[in-house]
Amino acid sequence: MQTSLTNKSAASRVYGLDILRAIAIIFVLEEHGNDFLYEAFSIKAPHLDGVKLFFVLSGFLIGQILIKTLHTGLSMKDLYAFWIRRWFRTLPNYYLVLIILVGLNILIPVFKGTYTSFFFFCQNLIYPQQRFFLESWSLAVEEWFYILFPITLYLLNKAFPLRHKISLMTSIGIFIIGAVLVRIYKESYLDIQMFKDWDVEFRKVVFTRLDNIVFGVLGAFMSTYYHSIWVKHKIILLISGIILLLGDRIYFLFITNNIISYGWYSNIISFTMGSLATLALLPFLSELKTGKGVIFKLLTYISIISYSLYMVNLSIVRFRVIPYSNEWLIEFGLRSYIVYIDVALYWFYTIGLSLLLYHFFEKPMTSLRDKLYLKKSQPSI
């Protein structure tokens, strides 16, 4: 039986990477639920940019897959297999949630724009996304990366056969330089004064963020070809990465409190700095292969259902389910307590719906993918 291009069995899970993925989704949930917390208690839970962590981690894992395939000959057949398995993993949840949101919007109109771009991941390709399915911006970044980077690597590998390092580093360089140039261009004509403008013009546009994922590929490159260097200073790098991530977060707190203004760092450099900081965590985390106890099991499970958690928490739970449930709370005479109840309901609905989505849709679709692919890959006897 052939080993599939993206197959990752439960036995091969890396605990350190599961920790990072779990922390990333917790940060995302905190960010999206902070309005409820602030309205009830006038406080906000501290958090980092969870999506930034996801991007680099995704690039690291994808990079490992592509590097292994390079050494056996990266063919178009390999790319098709990669895309099919990747899309079986990401697209079912995406399109299910998108169709649900479109249906809800038809029944109870909130969004008055068009849906077409969302079906082709073009909602934020160059311009800011419309106010619909807001969390989908990051999925568009990842999907375009999964298409463009392997194609770039394939073409360069054809141009430089058997010179895998050159092909990889050139591909990585193209994506880093390209995204930085896009941000420099946008910074030259945009006058960013508010977070919401920076958020939609820089943070949530595909071609301003592709380099964030490729820094993960750079990590896979270092881990594969220079492993001894990769792990030699892993503790120092871990501490440095945490400090840099915290420093970047503090910088943006200064911006949001009008202590400093948006400029070159926020619009151009911060994305690179955040990616490098996350990359610095990986030598330590990628070597942390397993764990034990309740915390180990909990973080691993959160990591496993993280995609379902991401898909339901904002557009479905925060913007649809909770407003509807609040109407019921009002009917039961609980209007005065709604702000407090909503804090709990946000987490209750998010966890509950994500478990349903994962166990009854995402997991079966992944199993179907594996059955179809393994059946197709099984040599005849």
Side-chain angles (χ1 to χ4, degrees):
M1 182 178 66
Q2 294 177 345
T3 301
S4 65
L5 186 60
T6 59
N7 188 41
K8 183 177 174 64
S9 66
S12 67
R13 299 193 71 89
V14 177
Y15 179 43
L17 302 184
D18 278 335
I19 291 175
L20 185 61
R21 189 182 291 107
I23 290 173
I25 190 60
I26 290 170
F27 282 152
V28 169
L29 298 181
E30 284 184 358
E31 180 183 0
H32 292 166
N34 258 341
D35 286 345
F36 297 121
L37 193 62
Y38 186 79
E39 191 171 352
F41 303 107
S42 298
I43 59 172
K44 289 190 175 183
H47 63 85
L48 300 176
D49 185 349
V51 174
K52 191 180 296 181
L53 305 181
F54 274 127
F55 279 166
V56 177
L57 175 58
S58 179
F60 182 70
L61 296 172
I62 295 304
Q64 290 180 323
I65 294 167
L66 292 174
I67 290 171
K68 288 178 182 178
T69 312
L70 267 179
H71 291 279
T72 58
L74 182 61
S75 65
M76 284 305 301
K77 184 179 179 181
D78 292 323
L79 292 187
Y80 293 148
F82 168 78
W83 287 326
I84 289 171
R85 289 186 59 82
R86 192 67 220 166
W87 288 335
F88 248 106
R89 172 73 176 86
T90 59
L91 297 191
N93 272 12
Y94 177 86
Y95 282 118
L96 176 64
V97 172
L98 176 58
I99 291 169
I100 289 172
L101 291 173
V102 170
L104 288 172
N105 199 64
I106 292 172
L107 293 173
I108 306 175
V110 175
F111 171 66
K112 297 181 180 180
T114 59
Y115 312 114
T116 307
S117 62
F118 291 87
F119 284 92
F120 299 97
F121 294 95
C122 295
Q123 62 265 43
N124 61 325
L125 198 58
I126 300 173
Y127 302 106
Q129 179 177 322
Q130 301 177 81
R131 298 286 299 174
F132 178 77
F133 198 5
L134 296 181
E135 62 272 46
S136 69
W137 74 268
S138 65
L139 303 174
V141 175
E142 293 211 8
E143 292 304 328
W144 280 105
F145 182 85
Y146 297 149
I147 294 172
L148 296 175
F149 187 83
I151 290 176
T152 303
L153 182 59
Y154 171 79
L155 293 175
L156 286 170
N157 191 55
K158 288 295 183 183
F160 305 102
L162 303 179
R163 304 184 72 177
H164 307 315
K165 293 182 182 179
I166 292 177
S167 300
L168 273 166
M169 286 308 299
T170 304
S171 301
I172 290 168
I174 288 171
F175 275 71
I176 292 175
I177 294 171
V180 170
L181 289 176
V182 171
R183 293 199 294 268
I184 290 174
Y185 172 70
K186 296 194 74 168
E187 207 277 337
S188 70
Y189 70 86
L190 289 173
D191 183 20
I192 302 296
Q193 300 293 332
M194 301 177 66
F195 173 80
K196 66 180 184 64
D197 296 325
W198 173 82
D199 194 45
V200 299
E201 291 285 358
F202 284 95
R203 181 171 176 257
K204 295 180 177 178
V205 173
V206 169
F207 285 112
T208 62
R209 297 302 302 272
L210 289 175
D211 61 325
N212 296 161
I213 305 178
V214 90
F215 275 103
V217 180
L218 177 61
F221 175 88
M222 292 296 299
S223 176
T224 301
Y225 295 110
Y226 304 99
H227 190 75
S228 60
I229 298 175
W230 173 253
V231 299
K232 184 176 181 180
H233 303 294
K234 60 183 181 180
I235 300 297
I236 294 174
L237 286 171
L238 176 71
I239 296 171
S240 300
I242 293 171
I243 292 173
L244 286 173
L245 286 170
L246 292 175
D248 183 70
R249 179 59 180 163
I250 291 170
Y251 180 90
F252 277 94
L253 288 176
F254 286 161
I255 288 181
T256 54
N257 286 281
N258 299 316
I259 298 174
I260 53 179
S261 302
Y262 288 93
W264 267 69
Y265 180 82
S266 59
N267 300 343
I268 301 170
I269 302 171
S270 66
F271 300 103
T272 302
M273 188 63 68
S275 299
L276 286 172
T278 307
L279 177 59
L281 308 178
L282 293 181
F284 177 85
L285 293 176
S286 63
E287 293 297 306
L288 187 60
K289 302 299 184 181
T290 189
K292 59 182 179 180
V294 176
I295 300 299
F296 162 69
K297 293 179 180 179
L298 178 62
L299 290 176
T300 300
Y301 190 70
I302 292 173
S303 172
I304 290 171
I305 66 169
S306 60
Y307 185 40
S308 289
L309 285 166
Y310 187 82
M311 294 305 298
V312 304
N313 81 94
L314 188 60
S315 294
I316 289 183
V317 171
R318 179 176 166 182
F319 294 145
R320 288 291 186 172
V321 176
I322 286 184
Y324 299 155
S325 70
N326 283 347
E327 295 178 7
W328 286 90
L329 293 175
I330 291 172
E331 289 188 13
F332 282 103
L334 298 172
R335 180 188 295 270
S336 301
Y337 304 100
I338 283 179
V339 294
Y340 305 104
I341 296 173
D342 281 351
V343 175
L345 286 181
Y346 168 74
W347 290 94
F348 175 77
Y349 288 143
T350 295
I351 294 171
L353 290 176
S354 68
L355 290 175
L356 291 174
L357 178 60
Y358 175 75
H359 286 288
F360 293 101
F361 189 72
E362 180 184 339
K363 187 177 180 180
M365 290 302 295
T366 304
S367 298
L368 176 62
R369 175 201 70 180
D370 292 339
K371 288 178 182 178
L372 291 174
Y373 189 81
L374 291 176
K375 183 178 179 180
K376 184 177 180 181
S377 302
Q378 183 74 37
S380 59
I381 298 175

